Amino acid sequence: MKLRHILLLLALLPVTAIAATPADTAGAKAPLSLIPAPASLVRGEGAFSLLADTPLVAADPRAARVARQFAGLMQRSRGIALQVGDAATGEAPAIEFRMTPMTPDASPEAYSLDVSPQRVVVAAGDARGLFYGAVTLWQLATTEVNDGAATRIPALRIDDAPRFAWRGLMLDSARHFQSVDEIKQLLDAMARHKLNTFHWHLTDDQGWRLQIRKYPELTAIGGCRIPAGDGGIDPRTGRPVPYCGFYTQDEVRDIVRYAGERHITVVPEIDIPGHAQAAVATYPRLGSVDGPSPVSSEWGVHKYLFNADEDTFAFLEDVLAEVAELFPGRYVHIGGDEAVKDQWKASPKVQARMRALGVADEAQLQGYFVERMARFLAARGKRVIGWDEILEDDLPADAAVMSWRGIEGGTEAARKGHDVVMAPVSHLYLDYLQTDSPDEPPGRPTLIPLRKAYDFEPVPAALTAAQARHILGLQANVWTEHMRTFERVEHAFFPRIAAVAETGWSPRARKDYDDFLARLPAQLRRYRAFGIDYAQTPFAVRIEGAREPSRATLRVAMSTPLQLGEIRYTTDGSAPTTDSPRYRQPLSLPLPAQVAAAAFVDGRALAEPTSRRFDAASLLQREDEALAMCSQGLMLRLEDDGPPEGPRAIYNIDIFNPCWLWRDAPLGGIAAVEVRAGRIPYYFQLAGDEPNRKFRPARSAHGELELRNGCEGDLLASVPLPAAPGDDGFITLRAPLSAGQRASANLCIVFTGDTRPAMWAVDRVTLRRGAP
């Protein structure tokens, strides 16, 4: 029976039949923490003992290379230096990496893994499959906490192959730049998750990051921007400080080579015809409006488009010719998203060009761009892929679609016979935050928690079996507007990358979220071994305190977003350990109180301990992260614009309706409300959505701070705003309340007036007793 048929049959069996775990002499067998879950796993009896002198055997040069990669993984994670040879010594236990013939219809990424007490054999017909078998073996060797000399690998048989051919991640290097070493760290992590496609977003309105030898100004000019606000000013000299960065072609070749050694294909993206401001800033003749424009320092949807002149197409073809030479993979991504057509509509020159080309409207003009670029790249052995907006006009038959606005575009494309990669914003945009914790970094507070990412199904139910074959796979995307550091990039990717990997690899019938969670702690240990700064927030303990009716005691509740592990806590200021009391129900504590807590699995904390101190004053104070928004027009978690380096304040703001709400604020006996506020740039391009921004009318020169009972309720207090904040970037405004206020209110804080290009943001609200 052919391998793919065996795997299909096994994938349809009940999970319990695949992962049967009969008892061994040591009792019930521990679960195997493999991510992604393999297609078929059958447990055996006993275990193989991996020691520092266990030989790695590989007769084929391709197998020897994989064996060395396995040895490198073990060196990094277990600290043992395994040696690779071409034959075993005597009857001693050994690990063999074996190339075997494969059937014509077998996946080149398929492998088998046999573990017995005397021998381990990893076999595959292609180096790709053998590498993924080595990754599985490495995971088996790092499932348990092991501080001894021997690592026990349980006896088993695995037959495995991926469900989807495209298992990808996209990284935006245009908004914020990552170093070559950081890119390589991400590629390493992708390989350890059996992900095989790195989509690299290299050009946008905020930066052109790829060296093009024929057009050196693209990186000299287009590769630099002046950040908005204080972040773009040297505080010592007052001069602009540009944010620059690009990858030389030698660096790109190095990254492509490095990825290839880990069986990862790099797909470059050159965005056409929109997201073009960096290119137009470099060469204004390429644009659709007269006059120069700077490289953008703002986020959002911009209006700059390439024009349709022959000179512009010659430029784009020159660029893509160098791209095609640099990236040996089959696909080149040409963007196509968010190409707001306002400039084309307003340009007499573009309208004349449309008439000359015989295109009926702006959507057809974008279709002309796609068709022409596809034809040019096809002549160089490449295939075009673009975001789902390219479906707005007829596509070349060979063009593929990446569906980001949902699955609808992918469904339409598959029905039309186009190959599809599913990357919907609803489930796979990992720059969206993963918890509602106040400790989340800047980003888009629309939540994509781990479970939502895990539950995504790439194949729409509406497709026929023939149409479903056009779904190449899935991809998670990270856009880096709010990621000044690589630590934030890692926070976004990890651990949700594990959920994406399992969806891309494992048979649908093998997916089980609860089982995935049980396997996740071992994966976190692997992250720590490789220095990955994974997100703490899904595992960190949330500590919430509320005053009890006696007012002398506090009710303290604890939880974790993933509800994984046992919460252990202390109240004496010490750090929690596995010997600390286990949290089972809310605590009643006298004021003041100090609580620290962490969640533990297998004796290890999943995240750093959380610590909170409560006293009478803290219960009358709220940071902005603990305040609600009056509406959800466009909620963002934004970073302050300064200082240029180091930590900055973070604000939750609905930029369509800046309005902060303290629900049920205890106003009994409160004489005044103090609001600490900061000022940040209003650095958003919102295209057609800009009119949705609400500005409340100001009654004085610089507007007012208003306190209301509810978002549209009665005015409780009003204080004039200054022209600017203090030298530290903040102001503290004290708004007296009239006597006889109600015991509680939904305290709404707003700022009146249109202060663009800057805006006020709440940092902290404090209720003050005593005289106003």
Side-chain angles (χ1 to χ4, degrees):
M1 186 178 270
K2 293 181 178 179
L3 178 59
R4 67 182 293 183
H5 298 149
I6 294 173
L7 294 175
L8 177 61
L9 177 62
L10 289 168
L12 295 175
L13 292 174
V15 173
T16 52
I18 298 173
T21 54
D24 63 11
T25 56
K29 295 177 179 175
L32 301 177
S33 296
L34 301 177
I35 294 177
S40 163
L41 187 156
V42 178
R43 296 288 291 265
E45 296 296 328
F48 179 90
S49 292
L50 174 60
L51 302 168
D53 60 355
T54 299
L56 306 181
V57 179
D60 186 285
R62 295 169 296 171
R65 184 173 188 173
V66 173
R68 288 191 294 272
Q69 289 176 312
F70 172 77
L73 290 172
M74 293 300 297
Q75 175 76 51
R76 285 285 304 274
S77 55
R78 286 295 197 211
I80 58 176
L82 300 172
Q83 301 300 312
V84 180
D86 58 6
T89 303
E91 298 299 319
I95 297 174
E96 180 182 358
F97 295 85
R98 182 188 300 170
M99 302 298 301
T100 59
M102 59 192 299
T103 60
D105 60 347
S107 166
E109 296 178 310
Y111 68 91
S112 66
L113 174 60
D114 267 305
V115 180
S116 71
Q118 281 299 113
R119 195 168 188 83
V120 176
V121 178
V122 187
D126 187 280
R128 285 168 283 183
L130 198 66
F131 175 79
Y132 293 134
V135 168
T136 299
L137 179 60
W138 165 72
Q139 287 194 353
L140 289 169
T142 53
T143 291
E144 302 299 328
V145 177
N146 189 331
D147 297 322
T151 298
R152 286 172 55 83
I153 301 174
L156 50 73
R157 166 78 185 194
I158 289 176
D159 290 286
D160 203 8
R163 181 185 177 196
F164 293 108
W166 187 301
R167 306 179 304 280
L169 296 182
M170 188 223 74
L171 177 65
D172 167 19
S173 294
R175 273 54 174 262
H176 280 104
F177 181 79
Q178 303 84 33
S179 71
V180 171
D181 285 345
E182 288 166 345
I183 298 290
K184 289 180 176 180
Q185 289 176 45
L186 183 59
L187 292 169
D188 283 336
M190 287 178 63
R192 294 193 295 269
H193 286 82
K194 302 188 174 88
L195 296 167
N196 66 357
T197 305
F198 177 55
H199 173 181
W200 201 4
H201 187 80
L202 289 164
T203 71
D204 216 295
D205 300 300
Q206 297 82 11
W208 186 287
R209 304 294 174 214
L210 175 63
Q211 179 190 23
I212 301 298
R213 294 192 187 280
K214 190 167 184 177
Y215 301 100
E217 292 87 355
L218 278 173
T219 49
I221 298 174
C224 294
R225 67 172 181 265
I226 305 300
D230 292 342
I233 300 172
D234 187 331
R236 296 166 299 178
T237 65
R239 295 176 180 174
V241 179
Y243 179 92
C244 302
F246 70 93
Y247 303 96
T248 69
Q249 293 200 359
D250 286 343
E251 288 172 330
V252 169
R253 290 189 182 92
D254 181 41
I255 287 170
V256 168
R257 174 198 58 77
Y258 193 87
E261 291 173 351
R262 287 146 184 81
H263 308 287
I264 295 170
T265 300
V266 182
V267 177
E269 181 180 354
I270 306 297
D271 222 327
I272 301 166
H275 291 284
Q277 191 164 340
V280 172
T282 307
Y283 301 111
R285 71 177 190 276
L286 304 175
S288 298
V289 296
D290 295 332
S293 66
V295 178
S296 180
S297 62
E298 300 184 335
W299 314 130
V301 181
H302 292 51
K303 296 182 180 181
Y304 279 86
L305 301 176
F306 288 110
N307 63 42
D309 295 348
E310 281 303 313
D311 179 60
T312 298
F313 281 112
F315 164 82
L316 293 173
E317 289 173 355
D318 288 341
V319 168
L320 292 178
E322 294 195 30
V323 168
E325 187 272 329
L326 284 170
F327 296 91
R330 177 80 192 279
Y331 289 92
V332 173
H333 204 298
I334 60 167
D337 63 313
E338 298 178 329
V340 180
K341 308 300 192 297
D342 293 359
Q343 288 188 348
W344 282 354
K345 292 176 180 178
S347 169
K349 184 177 178 181
V350 172
Q351 292 296 312
R353 176 67 168 158
M354 287 170 55
R355 290 191 292 272
L357 293 172
V359 299
D361 55 28
E362 290 76 21
Q364 283 193 7
L365 181 58
Q366 179 162 343
Y368 178 80
F369 267 82
V370 174
E371 188 277 333
R372 186 155 173 176
M373 296 301 98
R375 183 162 22 100
F376 178 83
L377 288 167
R380 285 153 182 78
K382 303 297 182 182
R383 187 178 178 190
V384 156
I385 187 169
W387 301 109
D388 55 63
E389 285 96 329
I390 67 175
L391 285 164
E392 292 171 6
D393 192 45
D394 292 337
L395 282 181
D398 199 39
V401 172
M402 189 167 282
S403 190
W404 77 273
R405 292 179 295 179
I407 64 170
E408 293 78 14
T411 303
E412 177 189 349
R415 283 173 170 161
K416 291 180 176 179
H418 298 286
D419 288 341
V420 172
V421 176
M422 288 294 192
V425 62
S426 57
H427 291 74
L428 297 181
Y429 268 41
L430 302 190
D431 45 297
Y432 283 25
L433 302 186
Q434 46 201 312
T435 75
D436 61 357
S437 166
D439 295 323
E440 287 283 352
R444 309 184 198 193
T446 301
L447 296 185
I448 297 183
L450 184 65
R451 172 138 207 176
K452 189 170 188 179
Y454 187 86
D455 285 347
F456 175 67
E457 168 49 42
V459 181
L463 296 181
T464 67
Q467 293 166 345
R469 284 194 285 272
H470 286 291
I471 306 300
L472 300 178
L474 77 165
Q475 178 175 289
N477 298 334
V478 164
W479 304 97
T480 62
E481 288 98 330
H482 308 291
M483 300 181 190
R484 282 191 301 133
T485 66
F486 189 65
E487 288 75 20
R488 289 183 182 171
V489 173
E490 290 185 308
H491 178 101
F493 274 126
F494 303 97
R496 289 178 294 184
I497 184 178
V500 175
E502 185 140 309
T503 299
W505 184 280
S506 305
R508 186 175 184 181
R510 291 282 278 128
K511 288 187 65 182
D512 181 308
Y513 179 70
D514 291 337
D515 182 61
F516 171 79
L517 275 189
R519 289 178 272 128
L520 190 57
Q523 194 77 345
L524 301 184
R525 292 196 294 270
R526 297 177 190 124
Y527 292 163
R528 289 192 289 269
F530 283 89
I532 292 174
D533 194 8
Y534 67 88
Q536 301 278 296
T537 47
F539 311 98
V541 177
R542 295 284 297 273
I543 304 173
E544 304 289 344
R547 180 169 271 168
E548 294 185 310
S550 70
R551 301 191 65 81
T553 58
L554 186 74
R555 184 181 186 271
V556 177
M558 304 183 212
S559 64
T560 60
L562 295 181
Q563 300 179 352
L564 184 61
E566 296 179 347
I567 296 176
R568 302 280 176 168
Y569 70 92
T570 64
T571 58
D572 62 359
S574 63
T577 69
T578 52
D579 295 326
S580 301
R582 182 179 177 183
Y583 174 80
R584 299 180 186 276
Q585 61 186 15
L587 311 177
S588 181
L589 300 174
L591 284 171
Q594 176 78 36
V595 181
F600 292 84
V601 171
D602 296 331
R604 300 279 182 106
L606 300 177
E608 294 297 321
T610 302
S611 180
R612 285 200 65 183
R613 176 176 172 79
F614 300 94
D615 55 27
S618 70
L619 296 176
L620 295 177
Q621 188 174 91
R622 291 286 185 276
E623 304 294 326
D624 66 289
E625 294 91 344
L627 300 173
M629 299 289 106
C630 289
S631 62
Q632 288 295 327
L634 183 54
M635 167 68 169
L636 295 173
R637 186 163 165 77
L638 298 176
E639 188 175 50
D640 205 346
D641 55 323
E645 301 294 336
R648 298 177 180 177
I650 298 173
Y651 309 98
N652 283 358
I653 304 178
D654 178 353
I655 64 171
F656 277 0
N657 184 20
C659 178
W660 292 260
L661 189 64
W662 183 341
R663 291 194 175 96
D664 297 319
L667 296 186
I670 298 301
V673 177
E674 286 186 0
V675 177
R676 186 175 193 255
R679 192 93 173 268
I680 64 173
Y682 183 83
Y683 48 8
F684 309 100
Q685 292 282 338
L686 300 175
D689 286 329
E690 184 61 44
N692 294 326
R693 169 67 153 89
K694 293 182 179 180
F695 298 99
R696 303 183 185 229
R699 298 182 303 278
S700 58
H702 306 297
E704 297 81 29
L705 164 71
E706 288 187 348
L707 306 180
R708 293 184 175 271
N709 182 11
C711 297
E712 304 296 334
D714 296 336
L715 183 67
L716 302 178
S718 177
V719 177
L721 289 165
D727 291 340
D728 63 351
F730 294 92
I731 58 167
T732 298
L733 298 170
R734 184 181 179 92
L737 297 179
S738 60
Q741 289 289 343
R742 64 187 68 196
S744 67
N746 288 327
L747 184 63
C748 173
I749 303 102
V750 297
F751 302 100
T752 65
D754 183 351
T755 59
R756 290 179 295 180
M759 64 188 302
W760 290 103
V762 170
D763 182 57
R764 183 186 309 126
V765 180
T766 305
L767 308 182
R768 296 293 186 190
R769 298 184 183 276

